[in-house]
Amino acid sequence: MKKFAILLFVILVAAGVTFVLIRPHLAIKQYNTGLSLTDSAQFEQAIDKFSKAIWLNKKNANFYHARGIAYAHLTKTEEATADFDKAIELNPAVSDYFLNRGKLFRETKAIDKALQDINTAIELNDSSAAAYYQRGLIMAAQGKFDEAVADYNKSIELDGSNLEAFYSRGESRANLDDFMGAISDYDKMIENAEAPALAFKQRGIFKLKIQDYEGAEGDLEQALDLEKNDKEIFYQLGQAKYNLNKVDESISLYNQAIKLDQSYDLAYGARGGAYLKKNSFKQAINDFTKAISYNASYKRAYYGRGIAKALAKDYKGSIDDFTKVIELDKDFAQAYYNRAVSKAILGNHQEALSDYDVILKIDPKNAEAYYNRGISRMNTRDSEGACNDFRRAVELNYQPAEPMLKMYCRSQQ
């Protein structure tokens, strides 16, 4: 019996030694299985494998880092952060640990912490395209688009296969009004992938910005083929059609946008503009009014309605709308101009003069404003001032002012 007990003890010790010897191998096996499961988006199962690997070896930073990534995919932020913290504690010299914790901080809006981690990641590995890309996203989120573009440039230089970097750089370039650069980035993305509707839509919008209406039309039609439930695609395609003088087609597209969203103020405003172009003043006024009902600060809708009312000879109503535009934007020169015209038509030339004065401070080369101010001055018996205005209008090549100058200002020539 004693010999048996000794033998059993020896066997158990030998087994224990064997387990200790093979433990690292078992941990790596669990870890590798976890990586495969992560690649196939089976994150819960991956976490189980990484946890077993950690139980077998609590000193391997890679195990914690890998489990942190899996937790992050499941939006388990606290668990992911704890694992990244542990990985960094065990080995603070690995760039990717800081990179992925920084990415998690960025996604959870902890921007200062995110930037600190990403900067550290770059210090540890200045060839990390992913780190520059993440820092670009942080800069863009802070409105620092120049710095964002610089980081995206570096990321693309290091890894030109990351199409998301082209997409993000395009967005930042657009925010800097570099629409040609933005289009170039979207070209790259569309050329190298089965592009989503969003890519065509955004490129189409950028083309609208540079007045390439035919190019915008083509992109937005492509976007519409891929996605038929996006109200903005219908709206933006309507804008392209409108600027190509395909007004009826634009109205049909605005109708579709409104069908998708009954409170889409921009679509009502745009359709109002299309009806205005067709001289359908009543329909235009109705649409502008509808737009304003959904957005009381929609200055373009007030302005469009003011124009429609003026053309429909409701000059008092137009003055009210132009006044509202000016309340919303005191530098909206055309609102002052058209309010002055409506006031002058109603015989309120003295009030009109005040508006013309404002216009000419904002836009001192507005020849038509000089001409119309001249007429209002003539109607308030300020012949000298009127002639000065007609003369300035002629200097600015406004031809209708020439007969007025010859007719009323001979004694001053």
Side-chain angles (χ1 to χ4, degrees):
M1 186 71 181
K2 187 176 181 181
K3 287 182 179 179
F4 176 76
I6 292 169
L7 180 61
L8 180 61
F9 175 74
V10 170
I11 291 169
L12 289 172
V13 168
V17 170
T18 301
F19 179 71
V20 169
L21 291 174
I22 67 169
R23 189 169 182 150
H25 173 74
L26 292 174
I28 293 295
K29 185 176 180 181
Q30 295 289 336
Y31 170 68
N32 287 333
T33 303
L35 292 178
S36 296
L37 289 166
T38 299
D39 288 341
S40 59
Q42 299 178 67
F43 302 118
E44 293 283 5
Q45 297 92 321
I47 288 166
D48 179 63
K49 296 299 180 182
F50 294 137
S51 296
K52 287 177 180 176
I54 290 166
W55 180 79
L56 291 164
N57 182 0
K58 293 182 172 57
K59 298 297 183 182
N60 191 314
N62 284 335
F63 298 169
Y64 291 97
H65 177 241
R67 189 172 68 177
I69 290 172
Y71 276 130
H73 278 293
L74 295 172
T75 63
K76 294 185 175 181
T77 305
E78 289 185 15
E79 294 90 337
T81 302
D83 274 345
F84 292 142
D85 289 347
K86 186 65 177 178
I88 289 168
E89 176 191 324
L90 290 169
N91 188 353
V94 178
S95 173
D96 279 356
Y97 299 170
F98 288 97
L99 168 63
N100 283 300
R101 189 174 69 175
K103 179 183 177 184
L104 184 64
F105 283 141
R106 179 187 63 77
E107 290 170 348
T108 55
K109 311 301 182 186
I111 297 299
D112 290 339
K113 289 182 178 179
L115 185 58
Q116 184 177 344
D117 269 358
I118 299 301
N119 283 338
T120 302
I122 291 170
E123 287 171 11
L124 291 169
N125 178 11
D126 63 4
S127 296
S128 172
Y132 285 106
Y133 173 64
Q134 287 296 324
R135 192 168 69 180
L137 294 174
I138 292 168
M139 293 296 124
Q142 294 179 317
K144 299 176 181 177
F145 299 112
D146 281 317
E147 293 174 56
V149 169
D151 276 332
Y152 295 138
N153 288 344
K154 186 66 176 177
S155 178
I156 290 166
E157 177 189 323
L158 292 165
D159 177 12
S161 67
N162 181 7
L163 296 179
E164 288 185 0
F166 287 99
Y167 178 83
S168 298
R169 186 173 68 179
E171 284 191 322
S172 287
R173 282 175 160 174
N175 277 294
L176 293 168
D177 292 336
D178 176 13
F179 298 111
M180 291 299 294
I183 289 168
S184 174
D185 279 334
Y186 279 78
D187 288 345
K188 188 76 173 177
M189 201 171 84
I190 290 168
E191 286 167 9
N192 287 275
E194 188 174 329
L198 179 62
F200 288 103
K201 179 175 90 169
Q202 288 301 118
R203 191 172 69 174
I205 291 170
F206 298 150
K207 287 179 179 178
L208 279 173
K209 295 286 188 182
I210 63 169
Q211 299 181 7
D212 175 9
Y213 300 123
E214 289 184 358
E217 180 185 38
D219 274 346
L220 291 163
E221 284 179 341
Q222 183 70 42
L224 194 57
D225 285 342
L226 296 167
E227 174 55 70
K228 299 188 183 302
N229 292 308
D230 185 332
K231 66 180 183 181
E232 191 180 14
I233 296 175
F234 284 103
Y235 166 73
Q236 297 290 355
L237 182 54
Q239 295 289 81
K241 299 280 190 185
Y242 174 87
N243 282 288
L244 291 168
N245 291 316
K246 300 176 181 179
V247 181
D248 288 332
E249 289 182 51
S250 76
I251 289 172
S252 296
L253 289 158
Y254 299 139
N255 289 343
Q256 290 298 316
I258 291 166
K259 187 176 180 181
L260 290 168
D261 181 357
Q262 294 290 320
S263 61
Y264 195 5
D265 56 320
L266 292 176
Y268 285 110
R271 191 173 69 180
Y275 281 129
L276 184 58
K277 199 168 189 176
K278 287 169 65 71
N279 294 323
S280 301
F281 304 131
K282 184 177 180 180
Q283 288 170 292
I285 290 168
N286 287 341
D287 268 349
F288 289 131
T289 301
K290 195 77 172 176
I292 290 165
S293 73
Y294 291 116
N295 181 359
S297 298
Y298 191 176
K299 67 182 180 185
R300 283 286 174 185
Y302 286 106
Y303 181 73
R305 190 172 69 177
I307 295 291
K309 286 179 178 179
L311 291 170
K313 299 185 179 181
D314 176 10
Y315 300 113
K316 187 178 183 306
S318 74
I319 289 169
D320 292 339
D321 278 337
F322 296 136
T323 299
K324 183 64 178 179
V325 175
I326 291 164
E327 287 175 10
L328 294 168
D329 182 357
K330 62 183 177 59
D331 294 324
F332 200 127
Q334 284 303 110
Y336 289 101
Y337 177 79
N338 284 293
R339 186 172 71 173
V341 170
S342 288
K343 286 177 176 178
I345 290 171
L346 291 174
N348 298 326
H349 291 286
Q350 197 64 52
E351 291 182 25
L353 287 173
S354 299
D355 280 342
Y356 288 129
D357 291 344
V358 175
I359 299 159
L360 291 167
K361 282 182 182 177
I362 297 170
D363 181 9
K365 292 187 177 181
N366 189 325
E368 194 172 354
Y370 280 109
Y371 172 74
N372 280 303
R373 188 174 69 173
I375 291 173
S376 285
R377 281 180 162 174
M378 190 67 69
N379 278 279
T380 57
R381 302 182 184 280
D382 178 9
S383 299
E384 183 179 352
C387 290
N388 287 337
D389 279 343
F390 293 145
R391 194 172 292 110
R392 182 62 179 143
V394 169
E395 288 171 1
L396 292 168
N397 298 314
Y398 189 68
Q399 300 303 317
E402 288 187 9
M404 299 296 287
L405 190 62
K406 290 175 181 177
M407 186 180 300
Y408 296 107
C409 306
R410 288 182 179 178
S411 62
Q412 297 186 33
Q413 287 183 335

